[in-house]
Amino acid sequence: MKTDIEKIISLCKRRGIVFPSSEIYGGFASCYDFGPLGVELKNNIKRAWRDEMTKFHENIVGLDAGILMSPKIWKASGHLTAGFADELVECKKCHKRFKKDELKSQKCPECNGELTKSRKFNLMLKTFVGSVESEATATYLRPETCQGIYVNFLNVLNSARMKIPFGVAQVGKAFRNEITTKNFIFRLLEFEQMEMQWFCESKTSDKWFKYWKNERLKWYYDLGIEKENLRIIEVPEKERAHYAKKQIDIEYKFPFGWKEIEGVHNRGDYDLSNHMKHSGEDLRYYDEQSKKKYIPHIIETSAGVERILLAFLCEAYTEIKGGRTKTTKAKKEEEIVLKLNRRLAPVKAAILPLVKNKPELTKKAKQVYELLKPHFACQYDELGSIGRRYRRQDEIGTPLCLTIDFESLENNDLTIRFRDTMKQERVKIDELTETVRNKLV
Ligand code: ATP
């Protein structure tokens, strides 16, 4: 692997992509905050996913269900029973908990204390609704977003007049009381999921499972992940999620090893039949052709935004020893280029006057910024030498730098510099919006 995770963590902090949570209070394990550029990157990932699902598949619609829902849902879904739990041991001395299958010895790794026998701990975070804290008012922060889709199945079916097969796509927060805290933003207490539930007839479910597996792989390739850094793992029955009839994990080759970034699951009729049983509502689909009612089967694609963001960062992070610029000073330093796909890059174009203290140049550069600002995520920067500013933009993955120099004042043009090749091209400002759009395709 080309890089280690510490370098990515340092870049994220330095450039405002990811910050540790509650840092001035000493931190809060397994929680992170996303900085100015992290927000943009996250939004671009979510937009690329939503576009893929709802723009390019006319039979997929969106939904935004709440985080808090009736606790009855978690009983029906199986999350309140042993199905959604980690096997943990607890230290009798310091009371820290550890995953049984990750322990290397029979003693506490923190204080060498004696450990309890393993016990199942539910991963859901509990909260209370209303003014009284009692079991009657307890509910849970959702541990997966898809249940909101199942309980709205009839609402979507009827209001959007959907016909099977069809899908419902949703992006939103999910919460899990995870114990392991290593590997940066890989495993979080609070994270975002991008989930699509595909409702189909049982006899077509194998076909659709294969279809969605391939579609999801293609999405990653299109956004710049190399084929050799992704692999598919068929999950054996005893390791599958409690609802899954069939399950594959899409794994990325992180600096800390191969790890899951997305799952594709054949959930069969598990969810709708359980909600039908527990709610008493008829959740069957009426097929107009056969004149029969049946419970649809579900193929699910379930991806975590932060894990995918980390995978994209690892993939894009490129270190150039000794630098690639010609000046001797820059050559001594190493350069970092974040080769993010253009659709994901937080800033698409940086507008840079060649020097700061020439009002004619900064005025023209600001005009260019005003011209492009409504169309693309742009950044205006006049601080520091032009070489340093290029490197700052390379580090955050900006595909295009637009430099305004003295010739620009005479010819009404500027130089476009490309992040990956450092090639430069002279273009007319009159045609700039169109030119930039074409270069970003
Ligand atoms: P793992 O085995 O790593 O715990 P999982 O199999 O429990 O993951 P799923 O329930 O299939 O994960 O969730 C689908 C996706 O949601 C995962 O592929 C991952 O991208 C994301 N995800 C799940 N748990 C977390 C978490 N604690 N932090 C960040 N992302 C998560």
Side-chain angles (χ1 to χ4, degrees):
M1 195 67 206
K2 57 186 171 189
T3 185
D4 70 70
I5 196 69
E6 292 306 322
K7 290 182 176 168
I8 304 270
I9 296 174
S10 153
L11 174 77
C12 283
K13 177 85 195 290
R14 194 166 68 243
R15 293 299 183 207
I17 301 172
V18 184
F19 305 130
S21 165
S22 320
E23 206 180 2
I24 61 168
Y25 287 99
F28 196 62
S30 298
C31 293
Y32 287 87
D33 299 334
F34 286 79
L37 292 180
V39 178
E40 296 298 324
L41 178 54
K42 236 179 162 191
N43 283 340
N44 292 344
I45 293 172
K46 290 188 273 186
R47 188 172 304 118
W49 184 86
R50 259 191 233 277
D51 281 356
E52 171 68 23
M53 289 299 174
T54 56
K55 256 196 200 168
F56 301 123
H57 292 93
E58 68 277 7
N59 46 2
I60 301 183
V61 290
L63 184 79
D64 186 8
I67 289 169
L68 294 174
M69 297 190 284
S70 164
K72 290 177 188 164
I73 288 175
W74 306 114
K75 201 164 167 214
S77 70
H79 284 81
L80 265 177
T81 52
F84 192 65
D86 270 347
E87 189 93 17
L88 301 180
V89 294
E90 189 170 319
C91 172
K92 290 182 182 168
K93 204 163 131 199
C94 71
H95 299 289
K96 286 219 167 109
R97 288 174 185 172
F98 306 92
K99 277 190 180 167
K100 190 184 165 210
D101 53 9
E102 286 180 4
L103 278 181
K104 294 200 173 65
S105 87
Q106 301 298 315
K107 294 277 181 191
C108 171
E110 297 277 325
C111 72
N112 215 28
E114 201 186 327
L115 298 172
T116 61
K117 278 202 177 132
S118 69
R119 232 175 10 111
K120 292 224 168 196
F121 283 90
N122 198 287
L123 285 169
M124 285 200 292
L125 283 155
K126 204 177 200 175
T127 189
F128 298 92
V129 175
S131 53
V132 188
E133 276 194 24
S134 72
E135 273 317 296
T137 62
T139 190
Y140 301 87
L141 304 184
R142 64 181 177 192
E144 59 180 21
T145 58
C146 55
Q147 296 300 328
I149 297 180
Y150 307 143
V151 297
N152 277 297
F153 172 68
L154 289 183
N155 284 337
V156 174
L157 184 73
N158 297 332
S159 62
R161 294 179 296 131
M162 305 308 285
K163 294 240 176 322
I164 272 180
F166 74 92
V168 181
Q170 175 170 235
V171 179
K173 290 258 179 178
F175 302 81
R176 295 184 188 179
N177 199 1
E178 302 272 10
I179 297 297
T180 317
T181 56
K182 49 186 195 239
N183 298 335
F184 193 35
I185 56 171
F186 180 79
R187 190 174 295 284
L188 302 166
L189 295 187
E190 176 186 345
F191 55 99
E192 280 189 275
Q193 286 189 317
M194 306 187 288
E195 296 198 305
M196 194 283 297
Q197 311 298 312
W198 183 255
F199 299 92
C200 61
E201 256 187 287
S202 66
K203 62 175 189 267
T204 62
S205 63
D206 282 342
K207 176 184 95 180
W208 287 118
F209 185 83
K210 225 184 265 167
Y211 173 83
W212 281 111
K213 177 180 91 176
N214 292 333
E215 286 291 285
R216 294 307 302 139
L217 280 174
K218 206 167 135 299
W219 186 79
Y220 290 104
Y221 300 151
D222 286 350
L223 288 172
I225 305 261
E226 292 291 340
K227 285 199 169 146
E228 73 246 28
N229 290 336
L230 280 183
R231 72 177 188 191
I232 294 274
I233 297 290
E234 296 253 0
V235 182
E237 194 176 347
K238 64 178 185 349
E239 289 169 30
R240 275 180 222 151
H242 63 276
Y243 47 74
K245 273 174 71 175
K246 197 167 173 197
Q247 174 174 348
I248 57 115
D249 288 347
I250 299 178
E251 292 191 342
Y252 178 73
K253 195 178 181 188
F254 285 101
F256 41 85
W258 286 100
K259 298 274 180 209
E260 173 185 340
I261 53 173
E262 171 158 359
V264 179
H265 310 128
N266 179 347
R267 299 179 71 127
D269 64 357
Y270 176 87
D271 302 279
L272 288 184
S273 54
N274 273 319
H275 284 305
M276 192 159 145
K277 200 162 82 197
H278 282 78
S279 68
E281 289 287 329
D282 186 356
L283 301 181
R284 288 174 302 168
Y285 175 80
Y286 177 70
D287 186 296
E288 275 162 17
Q289 271 184 341
S290 66
K291 311 275 182 238
K292 283 195 181 125
K293 277 184 159 190
Y294 63 86
I295 300 177
H297 281 222
I298 292 169
I299 305 300
E300 163 185 71
T301 68
S302 175
V305 179
E306 294 82 357
R307 281 192 193 176
I308 290 175
L309 183 145
L310 186 58
F312 281 131
L313 285 177
C314 292
E315 188 77 10
Y317 188 96
T318 313
E319 206 175 61
I320 297 149
K321 294 256 177 296
R324 53 180 191 163
T325 32
K326 287 195 194 76
T327 64
T328 43
K329 190 162 170 251
K331 262 206 156 154
K332 285 186 201 133
E333 297 168 16
E334 70 184 13
E335 270 179 44
I336 294 159
V337 184
L338 203 57
K339 294 190 174 176
L340 285 171
N341 179 280
R342 282 147 202 225
R343 287 166 68 196
L344 301 180
V347 178
K348 310 294 182 207
I351 292 107
L352 317 169
L354 186 65
V355 286
K356 185 187 166 189
N357 48 6
K358 292 281 174 216
E360 321 90 273
L361 284 191
T362 49
K363 186 172 165 219
K364 185 131 191 112
K366 280 184 183 157
Q367 283 167 354
V368 170
Y369 176 58
E370 292 301 321
L371 174 76
L372 295 182
K373 201 169 72 171
H375 306 283
F376 313 100
C378 292
Q379 209 172 66
Y380 173 85
D381 186 7
E382 57 177 33
L383 291 180
S385 73
I386 190 73
R388 198 163 279 280
R389 278 180 280 157
Y390 282 149
R391 267 178 284 141
R392 201 148 56 211
Q393 295 299 333
D394 288 345
E395 257 197 33
I396 62 169
T398 307
L400 306 175
C401 282
L402 313 181
T403 311
I404 290 88
D405 56 18
F406 293 102
E407 256 182 70
S408 308
L409 301 177
E410 310 226 322
N411 303 335
N412 200 34
D413 62 2
L414 51 74
T415 301
I416 295 194
R417 172 192 179 269
F418 299 88
R419 178 193 67 202
D420 298 346
T421 59
M422 292 200 309
K423 283 210 175 106
Q424 305 205 356
E425 207 177 296
R426 207 77 198 166
V427 299
K428 288 279 172 212
I429 293 179
D430 287 342
E431 298 149 15
L432 193 58
T433 313
E434 211 38 44
T435 310
V436 169
R437 184 164 288 124
N438 291 338
K439 304 285 183 205
L440 288 172
V441 171

